[in-house]
Amino acid sequence: MKTKIADLEFEPLIKAEAIDERIKTIGKQICSDYKHCVPVFIGVLNGSFLFIADLIKQIDIPCEITFTKLASYYGGTKSTLKIRDDIDFAMDIKGREVLIIEDIVDTGNTAHYLIEKLQVKEPASIKLCSLLLKPASLLKKIDELKYVGFEIESGFVVGYGLDYKEMGRNLKDIYKRVK
Ligand code: IMP
Ligand code: MG
């Protein structure tokens, strides 16, 4: 069913049940890959808040979680390519195995910025887990991108944490823009 958010129209792309299923699979994979250590998950707010919450419930190995807040869309439908650093975290990640949790990798600019910033803090490793990836929009290769929920086309999407003009984050399914 179509839905309208502000001036744009959207239709369903990924149903909540498919998201749940995929998160369970990724969760199992992460537990197996990180069972030798106590990983630090760094959630990138705002868009990934639901994904982080659902993913972390699938993690049954000891782990720590912290958050950072970055912005590059500022409520619009295209990346401005300028990243604003809104909230930083104080946790010492030197020597730690770090897994960044993102809602979506679009141009790859935000991921690239955050990875460079974290590298200075000398973690043992940095990997990235993103619910969504728009492969055709990537401007930079991101070698750290290890877990991807769904690869999607380059159009604009909302729901399950992702917003248009700060709205639509509460939708259970993910929707793509049709108009
Ligand atoms: P990138 O820096 O271009 O890779 O974009 C990363 C950030 O832009 C994501 O973490 C999202 O917060 C936001 N973003 C990218 N594509 C979309 C979209 O289709 N809908 C909503 N937000 C998006
Ligand atoms: Mg994000």
Side-chain angles (χ1 to χ4, degrees):
M1 219 188 28
K2 281 192 184 159
T3 185
K4 204 162 180 207
I5 299 175
D7 53 324
L8 301 183
E9 255 183 46
F10 295 85
E11 65 181 29
L13 178 68
I14 308 170
K15 301 294 279 179
E17 296 73 23
I19 298 172
D20 277 0
E21 194 102 325
R22 190 74 188 107
I23 289 177
K24 284 190 183 123
T25 305
I26 295 175
K28 279 198 192 105
Q29 178 85 54
I30 291 172
C31 291
S32 158
D33 292 350
Y34 287 90
K35 59 179 183 290
H36 63 283
C37 65
V38 178
V40 177
F41 298 114
I42 301 180
V44 185
L45 300 172
N46 290 333
S48 61
F49 76 104
L50 289 179
F51 180 44
I52 299 165
D54 287 340
L55 181 64
I56 207 75
K57 285 184 271 181
Q58 300 301 323
I59 305 300
D60 57 10
I61 56 165
C63 61
E64 293 176 23
I65 180 147
T66 189
F67 300 92
T68 185
K69 184 170 184 298
L70 301 172
S72 63
Y73 263 53
Y74 314 118
T77 61
K78 274 209 172 72
S79 173
T80 60
L81 297 178
K82 275 194 219 99
I83 295 161
R84 199 178 64 209
D85 222 317
D86 284 348
I87 298 176
D88 203 353
F89 63 90
M91 189 187 285
D92 181 12
I93 58 165
K94 188 168 181 173
R96 303 296 301 274
E97 311 256 356
V98 168
L99 182 62
I100 301 167
I101 304 177
E102 259 285 24
D103 50 354
I104 184 163
V105 173
D106 179 21
T107 62
N109 220 41
T110 307
H112 193 262
Y113 169 87
L114 182 57
I115 289 163
E116 283 213 322
K117 194 178 139 181
L118 295 180
Q119 263 155 359
V120 177
K121 298 174 190 267
E122 299 177 45
S125 71
I126 305 177
K127 297 284 178 216
L128 173 64
C129 170
S130 183
L131 177 66
L132 302 171
L133 169 67
K134 296 180 187 169
S137 302
L138 264 183
L139 297 177
K140 299 171 176 150
K141 192 167 177 288
I142 301 164
D143 295 326
E144 292 82 358
L145 183 53
K146 182 159 184 198
Y147 311 94
V148 173
F150 302 91
E151 291 195 356
I152 61 170
E153 287 174 10
S154 288
F156 186 69
V157 295
V158 293
Y160 193 69
L162 291 114
D163 74 305
Y164 172 53
K165 295 188 172 171
E166 292 303 330
M167 288 187 293
R169 295 193 195 276
N170 54 314
L171 296 166
K172 289 187 182 68
D173 304 324
I174 292 172
Y175 291 73
K176 66 172 180 190
R177 180 185 175 184
V178 284
K179 248 189 222 162

